[in-house]
Amino acid sequence: MAGSGPHLAVFAPVGGAGRVDAVVRRLSDAIALGLLADGEQLPSEAELAGRLGVSTVTLREALMALRQQGLVETRRGRGGGSFVRTPREPPELGARLAAFTVDELRDLGDHYAAIAGAAARLAARRALPGDLAPLWRSLDDMARAARSSRRAVEPAQRADSTAALRRLDGRFHVEIAAASQSARLTQEEIRLQADIGPLLWLPYDGPEGHDEVTAQHRAIAEAIRRGDPGQARDLAEQHVLDALERLIELRLANA
């Protein structure tokens, strides 16, 4: 199992009440965001329960729920275990957007901007060069996915490319939070990305939108690499707030 910052946050103790639901939410969010890759084998039940700070009974209940959702596959026999199954992009993003009021979107966006800004500020202060390597890999992966989206001819191919870009966008922001060296910020970033991430980048579908988001991502990453906390925070906050305003415009246009 990789020891990257996002992975460490995914497998940190869940704490609190309702632990079955908490484990299901933690792992399902990580799978949806691509932090746990399709086909990746989860740790053994005993190890995973210990890392999440829950009993094996609780963990088994959570894995059962994830299997029912099609997010985990259990294989028996030699080389068996629990393996991640990445879901296809859900087609109901428009319906999800319509379920939010404008005030709810603005409130959620304000909260997310504060988290993203704090994570970028701390990353600029604390991150070592090795902590930043995942950011640049994600940016390269985004560029390849964007080129694939431009070349796509069939609607299914375009949908797959768009879904990949959204997952990569979420992964990029989680990696910034991981570079901040704060497990709590990283876990909150994962939760928020799962809640609003796919919606937040909905207005940027299409080549021009991809290019704009990529430029903003690179500017944030460069500010973190330069060790400029104020600039990194401001760019990250503005990145989220710009997307939020476009999302609200899209919500009103489809009301």
Side-chain angles (χ1 to χ4, degrees):
M1 179 60 57
S4 66
H7 269 84
L8 293 175
V10 168
F11 295 118
V14 295
R19 289 191 170 191
V20 172
D21 289 343
V23 172
V24 171
R25 176 65 188 264
R26 176 77 66 77
L27 295 180
S28 63
D29 286 351
I31 292 168
L33 294 174
L35 303 178
L36 298 176
D38 188 43
E40 180 175 339
Q41 184 173 7
L42 297 176
S44 68
E45 288 186 357
E47 180 184 352
L48 186 53
R51 293 172 70 174
L52 294 173
V54 300
S55 69
T56 54
V57 172
T58 295
L59 179 67
R60 286 170 185 162
E61 289 183 29
L63 289 175
M64 182 182 298
L66 291 166
R67 283 195 295 272
Q68 291 171 346
Q69 295 174 30
L71 299 178
V72 166
E73 175 186 13
T74 299
R75 303 174 193 167
R76 305 296 179 187
R78 189 174 181 178
S82 295
F83 296 82
V84 171
R85 297 297 302 270
T86 300
R88 293 181 64 85
E89 182 74 7
E92 70 280 1
L93 285 178
R96 285 182 59 191
L97 177 58
F100 285 98
T101 67
V102 169
D103 286 343
E104 287 171 339
L105 287 173
R106 197 174 298 282
D107 187 52
L108 189 55
D110 287 345
H111 176 60
Y112 179 31
I115 295 297
R121 175 176 59 83
L122 290 175
R125 286 183 173 177
R126 298 174 176 174
L128 299 173
D131 299 324
L132 301 183
L135 298 182
W136 302 106
R137 284 198 296 269
S138 288
L139 288 171
D140 289 341
D141 288 345
M142 287 179 197
R144 283 192 289 272
R147 288 195 296 270
S148 176
S149 178
R150 287 185 171 93
R151 292 194 299 266
V153 176
E154 299 295 329
Q157 292 176 323
R158 287 196 296 271
D160 287 345
S161 297
T162 298
L165 280 164
R166 288 179 185 148
R167 283 193 295 270
L168 287 167
D169 189 286
R171 191 178 82 187
F172 174 80
H173 286 277
V174 171
E175 286 166 346
I176 289 176
S180 77
Q181 313 297 330
S182 170
R184 288 183 181 273
L185 270 179
T186 305
Q187 289 162 15
E188 182 66 3
E189 178 71 51
I190 291 171
R191 186 185 71 81
L192 285 166
Q193 277 294 332
D195 275 345
I196 198 174
L199 289 178
L200 206 55
W201 316 123
L202 191 58
Y204 291 94
D205 285 353
E208 291 184 1
H210 297 163
D211 291 344
E212 183 175 351
V213 169
T214 295
Q216 293 175 359
H217 285 163
R218 289 194 176 277
I220 296 167
E222 287 288 357
I224 292 172
R225 182 161 63 180
R226 289 196 310 271
D228 188 336
Q231 182 75 352
R233 178 201 59 216
D234 291 347
L235 288 171
E237 288 181 354
Q238 195 59 50
H239 174 56
V240 172
L241 293 175
D242 286 348
L244 174 68
E245 289 305 317
R246 293 193 181 196
L247 185 64
I248 289 174
E249 290 175 6
L250 184 62
R251 169 67 178 81
L252 293 173
N254 294 329

